[in-house]
Amino acid sequence: MTMDIDALIEQRYSANHFDATRHVDDVTLTELLRLATLAPSAFNAQNRRFVVASSVKAKERLLRHANGQDKVVHAAATVVVVGRLAPHATLAAALQPSVDAGVIDADLQATLVHYADAMYRDQPQNQRDEAIRSASLSAMTLMLAAQGAGLVSCPMIGFDAAGVHREFGLGNDEIPVMLVAIGHAAAGNWPQKPRLPLADVLAWQ
């Protein structure tokens, strides 16, 4: 199933009800996550990763830290979208494929690493802000990819971050930014809820 980007955006909704009897195969989930990696990040630091709870046991472990929201276990999979702190520390490696492909040269790589180091080193708030931005952009891309595959999704912030961090062995430089449940829709979901008029949120300068 494919649709143009306008339709993807206009038809996507946050699903609260998933059909627990229908699964999504690992090949499909892997492709959705590959598409999510194409989301932008500052300096192309790619300071996010994904932990997929798709087995019954993993979803039950996640449920303990998700305020009992049963969509975690009814969805085919729930993805923990993880933001990584200290993007400057891994930027050179993240940019090396761009150097190898001839997109940028080694001098520009070094320049970007220099500026990223100045922006993030010893700046925990900047690091946290960037981790949340990168993870959020990837999460939205993941949800649109799921919509394009004929699936539904739901971003979730109602969870115990410390519990998820501990339960899934996240690193000291990682924070769980949000959960994204993905699967097939069950009955009872609301359509996309009306948004504020554009005129209420738009200013031309």
Side-chain angles (χ1 to χ4, degrees):
M1 176 182 179
T2 60
M3 61 180 78
D4 65 39
I5 190 64
D6 289 0
L8 282 174
I9 294 170
E10 290 173 347
Q11 295 177 22
R12 190 210 62 81
Y13 61 87
S14 296
N16 282 309
H17 304 289
F18 291 84
D19 185 345
T21 68
R22 299 184 67 186
H23 302 284
V24 177
D25 62 80
D26 289 350
V27 172
T28 298
L29 288 171
T30 299
E31 175 60 9
L32 299 181
L33 291 161
R34 184 192 72 80
L35 292 170
T37 68
L38 302 180
S41 56
F43 297 99
N44 195 29
Q46 304 168 68
N47 51 319
R48 72 288 178 269
R49 71 182 185 96
F50 313 97
V51 177
V52 183
S54 59
S55 69
V56 172
K57 287 185 177 180
K59 289 190 284 188
E60 288 176 347
R61 287 166 56 205
L62 185 56
L63 180 65
R64 292 198 292 268
H65 306 289
N67 298 327
Q69 297 177 82
D70 59 11
K71 69 186 81 172
V72 167
V73 293
H74 292 167
T78 298
V79 179
V80 183
V81 185
V82 178
R84 309 187 80 167
L85 306 172
H88 59 288
T90 55
L91 182 59
L95 292 176
Q96 190 58 46
S98 294
V99 176
D100 296 341
V103 177
I104 64 173
D105 60 26
D107 287 342
L108 180 54
Q109 178 190 34
T111 298
L112 292 171
V113 170
H114 169 76
Y115 283 115
D117 189 78
M119 182 174 292
Y120 302 117
R121 183 181 294 275
D122 300 322
Q123 299 291 332
Q125 187 63 55
N126 286 353
Q127 291 184 32
R128 183 175 177 84
D129 290 348
E130 205 61 69
I132 292 171
R133 275 191 289 266
S134 293
S136 297
L137 287 165
S138 290
M140 188 70 250
T141 303
L142 175 61
M143 288 185 282
L144 289 175
Q147 185 75 18
L151 302 170
V152 294
S153 63
C154 185
M156 302 170 62
I157 61 168
F159 63 93
D160 174 12
V164 170
H165 191 286
R166 182 176 59 254
E167 186 73 43
F168 292 91
L170 303 188
N172 292 333
D173 64 340
E174 295 182 319
I175 53 175
V177 173
M178 74 178 72
L179 311 179
V180 177
I182 298 172
H184 295 275
N189 284 307
W190 291 320
Q192 187 182 92
K193 293 180 281 296
R195 300 315 200 240
L196 293 170
L198 179 60
D200 289 359
V201 297
L202 175 64
W204 294 99
Q205 299 290 329

